[in-house]
Amino acid sequence: MNITMSDVQPGHDEPAAGDAVEPLILDLLEWIGPDGRPYSEVIEPWRTSCPRLPVWENAHARGYLARVHASGGEALIKVSQAGAAHLQARRGRLLSLYQPSPQEQSMQTSPESMQAQVQWDVSQYLRFGGERLRPALDLMLHLPTQNPARILDLGCGTGNLSALLQQRWPRAAVLGVDGSDDMLAKARLNVPQARFVAADLNHWVPEHKLDLIYTNATLQWLPDHAQLFPRLLSFLNPGGCLAVQMPVMHDAPLRRAQVELARSPAYADVLGEVSERRNVLEVGRYYDLLRPRVATLDIWQTSYLHILTGADPVLEWASGSSLRPYLEKLEGDQLQAFRTEYARRMQQAYPPSADGSTLLPFQRMFIVASLPG
């Protein structure tokens, strides 16, 4: 079992403008919003971005961010005039323009002014963008080296990974498919050279055979993997590759508490129909399912040790992903009571460390399977 620490310092190599970091910079600006956010709140999610994707450094180097000293003592990070204009131009999102003082302008251009550390509810999901991006990149590093002509990003979301796939294979036709119109709207702005389609992932069928199907943190939402995986293999050309990453957390306190609360008397009437989504099989079953059908098969699991900070960080982490189906069905006092009880259970299951950080072990399964040529 590999243990991967996600509290890493980013690199300092700055990619050229317009590359795959651009969508993430736009996500960062949009998440900060017109009112700004506390420095610590911004730094923690974004400083853990993969070293190959220096989102924070690039946004800072381009003058898109300003640090402002608030009356309470803690600095705020705000979107600068340049950042607001860039966001409006690229996504049509108008922020109330922030006019920095001369001192703040000096802070924007001084390399010493800010340490280079570097949503569903997109903004909530992206609070932990760095941690959630790293497994996707780990999967990408294990893809075959041949040049695919047709690539599918299944469950593409806002297109951040579609951009990386397009960057790695610029001559390929990249297609992103997702069930969220809101996310696809962002994807089309993020990666205009790719094509994006809204569809039910359970039933969608491609128009053409594919050379690579890349799907990150998506298939755990879909049922009947014994039928799903052979179906996905049938979409591939000879020699094509299926690359999958899925969370494996059903028996962890993070997921177990969600199901227990939903089935409890206080919430069963409202949440009783929400699926437990125990769709992911044991690793040996994937081997038995895929091995007779493919030429090469690589399966592994990694436990990422995410270092979270802030108030109720596990609640906030889950609110952007697995907890979302439950939260969407609750409202008012019942919603608040559910969040409070879940937060209490998470504090017991994942108590803070001596320095106040919360360690969240998060296990993921990776599958890379290639058909005979």
Side-chain angles (χ1 to χ4, degrees), residues 277-289:
R277 303 185 308 281
R278 293 190 66 94
N279 298 319
V280 179
L281 308 177
E282 295 295 326
V283 64
R285 293 188 62 188
Y286 288 107
Y287 181 89
D288 292 339
L289 179 66

Side-chain angles (χ1 to χ4, degrees), residues 351-367:
S353 300
D355 67 352
S357 300
T358 298
L359 305 184
L360 176 62
F362 205 98
Q363 186 163 309
R364 298 177 183 272
M365 183 188 302
F366 298 79
I367 301 173

Side-chain angles (χ1 to χ4, degrees), residues 65-81:
L65 303 173
R67 185 170 66 175
V68 183
H69 289 287
S71 57
E74 182 176 9
L76 292 176
I77 299 298
K78 289 197 172 186
V79 178
S80 69
Q81 273 195 313

Side-chain angles (χ1 to χ4, degrees), residues 22-30 86-87 90-91 190:
E22 177 66 16
L24 294 174
I25 290 177
L26 294 169
D27 288 338
L28 172 61
L29 298 177
E30 190 165 7
H86 183 67
L87 184 60
R90 292 299 302 273
R91 287 190 174 170
N190 288 342

